[in-house]
Amino acid sequence: MIYLQLLLSFAQVGLFSIGGGYAAIPLIESQVVVNHGWLTMSEFTDLVTIAEMTPGPIAINAATFVGIRIGGAPGAVVATLGCIVPSLAIVTLLAFVYYRYKSATFMQRILKVIRPVVVSLIAAAGIRILVNASGLGGAVDLVAVALFAAALATMRLSKLSPVLVMVICGVIYMLLEIIVK
Amino acid sequence: MHEREPRRPNVLWILFAGMFYISAFTFGGGFVIATFVKKRFSDELGWISESEMLDLIALAQSAPGAIAVNVSILVGWKVFGLMGMVVSVLGTILPPMIIITVVSIIYNLIADNFYVALLLKGMQVGVAAIILSVSIDLAIKVIREKSALYDILMVVAFVLSYVFKVNVVILILSALLLGASLAFLGRKGAFR
């Protein structure tokens, strides 16, 4: 019942990724890498990289990517459907409440409390990606660690586009590895 | 005021084409998409008033799931009911589905290539830097709220997630419950 698993997994991603954008990353990781082992941590990081470079919400990108690998084209459709069904239900409900009472403050208040938690979940996922990519805690890849520090400094200090930072990292790493080895 | 009433297939087609175009060519998160949707359907077509559009975007952010999908659900519903919603969502999700399908085929073919593997490895490091930089921005915003509760929540959630590997869904559900009870108490005036 691979299709049902895909549907339910991505429904959880759709249901619990609150706060948009990066909030989906820890959830996708938890479903796809930890719970089901559909992707390795490295493949998952490649997926995030690809999602960052292509248009579209990361959850939809992930659903299509994982769906195709696990269940072909039908898998992609089922996983994407799973992703949007919770949104359909909840957004419609919220819209109903909004048009009735013209106020969304109750939900906004709840969001304020969820946000700090989501921030930490995103940070934790980012650190796990870093550990995986740089071998921290195992055989440390010094080139990767130095590159990470430089990339983070660039992100903090300049307004360079994230995609550009990522591509430059890839090229520098490839060139360094080829020259050094 | 002059009411615009285009023919039905026309409305659905313009809705689909607008969403498809925005989704296919807009890089960056849901907020960027939301801006373009507002520009197209409020400013250019005048189908939704600006203030209602801003409310719809706020709603889309409050609901779980991708903001782009949520915005397109609301705009589609507003413009043409259930059919509008289906057409609008299809327009939004088809471009990423098509693009990722092509990319995943290419990925399977080239990911094992020596140079591509090195390139991807370097880009993984870059992605870690981007995600952590975003986290720092978000954390600064939370700290600026100057609420001890939010700061403590942030630290506790990080420790539970990273050190104790507590399931993400459990953590978000707990935050949701806490938020709901605080919001409920706040509404009654007990919390302020």
Side-chain angles (χ1 to χ4, degrees):
Chain A
M1 265 337 279
I2 196 70
Y3 296 124
L4 190 64
Q5 280 183 1
L6 278 170
L7 186 81
L8 293 179
S9 284
F10 279 95
Q12 287 183 56
V13 173
L15 186 59
F16 294 109
S17 55
I18 301 168
Y22 290 85
I25 292 176
L27 279 151
I28 298 165
E29 183 201 349
S30 146
Q31 286 298 327
V32 167
V33 181
V34 181
N35 290 5
H36 293 284
W38 286 329
L39 299 182
T40 65
M41 192 62 194
S42 240
E43 286 169 326
F44 167 73
T45 310
D46 285 343
L47 166 62
V48 177
T49 309
I50 291 166
E52 191 73 28
M53 293 179 70
T54 53
I58 180 174
I60 304 290
N61 289 343
T64 307
F65 189 86
V66 175
I68 284 187
R69 297 201 109 200
I70 306 303
V77 173
V78 164
T80 307
L81 203 66
C83 234
I84 56 176
V85 163
S87 285
L88 281 175
I90 293 171
V91 168
T92 316
L93 189 77
L94 279 181
F96 173 76
V97 174
Y98 164 74
Y99 281 110
R100 188 119 193 226
Y101 303 104
K102 285 278 172 192
S103 151
T105 47
F106 190 73
M107 198 60 202
Q108 302 284 1
R109 283 209 183 126
I110 299 179
L111 273 183
K112 279 204 148 192
V113 178
I114 299 181
R115 195 155 294 138
V117 173
V118 172
V119 171
S120 291
L121 294 178
I122 297 170
I127 294 176
R128 281 193 295 271
I129 287 175
L130 173 66
V131 168
N132 175 69
S134 64
L136 285 169
V140 179
D141 180 346
L142 284 175
V143 175
V145 175
L147 197 59
F148 168 78
L152 186 62
T154 309
M155 286 295 296
R156 302 305 306 164
L157 301 173
S158 78
K159 289 205 179 341
L160 227 56
S161 113
V163 175
L164 203 60
V165 170
M166 216 166 58
V167 172
I168 293 172
C169 279
V171 173
I172 292 179
Y173 186 82
M174 184 175 73
L175 291 178
L176 283 177
E177 287 290 300
I178 293 168
I179 293 164
V180 173
K181 282 160 193 174
Chain B
M1 200 181 129
H2 181 67
E3 275 289 318
R4 274 180 265 187
E5 265 188 27
R7 287 178 303 121
R8 169 190 167 136
N10 216 356
V11 174
L12 289 178
W13 171 249
I14 293 171
L15 183 62
F16 177 81
M19 290 300 182
F20 191 94
Y21 184 82
I22 291 168
S23 178
F25 295 106
T26 311
F27 290 79
F31 297 97
V32 185
I33 296 252
T35 312
F36 278 88
V37 169
K38 177 186 163 293
K39 189 162 168 275
R40 177 72 182 138
F41 293 97
S42 282
D43 307 346
E44 289 174 18
L45 292 167
W47 286 357
I48 301 174
S49 77
E50 183 169 17
S51 69
E52 185 170 2
M53 184 60 103
L54 291 178
D55 282 346
L56 292 186
I57 292 173
L59 274 182
Q61 287 166 3
S62 314
I67 292 174
V69 173
N70 293 350
V71 168
S72 96
I73 291 170
L74 289 165
V75 170
W77 180 267
K78 174 73 194 166
V79 169
F80 216 98
L82 189 63
M83 267 308 281
M85 189 166 88
V86 171
V87 162
S88 177
V89 169
L90 274 180
T92 302
I93 63 171
L94 277 179
M97 286 185 81
I98 295 165
I99 293 166
I100 293 296
T101 302
V102 174
V103 170
S104 74
I105 293 166
I106 298 171
Y107 176 82
N108 288 340
L109 292 175
I110 65 171
D112 295 332
N113 176 284
F114 176 70
Y115 298 104
V116 174
L118 285 181
L119 192 70
L120 280 170
K121 181 87 193 284
M123 283 166 64
Q124 290 191 349
V125 174
V127 130
I130 292 165
I131 294 177
L132 286 169
S133 180
V134 169
S135 310
I136 292 171
D137 287 337
L138 293 170
I140 289 173
K141 268 187 208 155
V142 170
I143 292 167
R144 286 219 178 109
E145 297 257 345
K146 294 200 193 311
S147 152
L149 173 70
Y150 297 161
D151 295 345
I152 293 167
L153 272 179
M154 202 156 64
V155 174
V156 169
F158 183 82
V159 172
L160 288 178
S161 170
Y162 193 76
V163 181
F164 294 102
K165 297 178 174 44
V166 175
N167 186 286
V168 184
V169 169
I170 291 176
L171 289 173
I172 291 175
L173 268 180
S174 315
L176 191 76
L177 281 177
L178 181 68
S181 24
L182 288 183
F184 188 68
L185 288 172
R187 205 183 53 144
K188 283 183 163 173
F191 235 89
R192 235 168 240 275

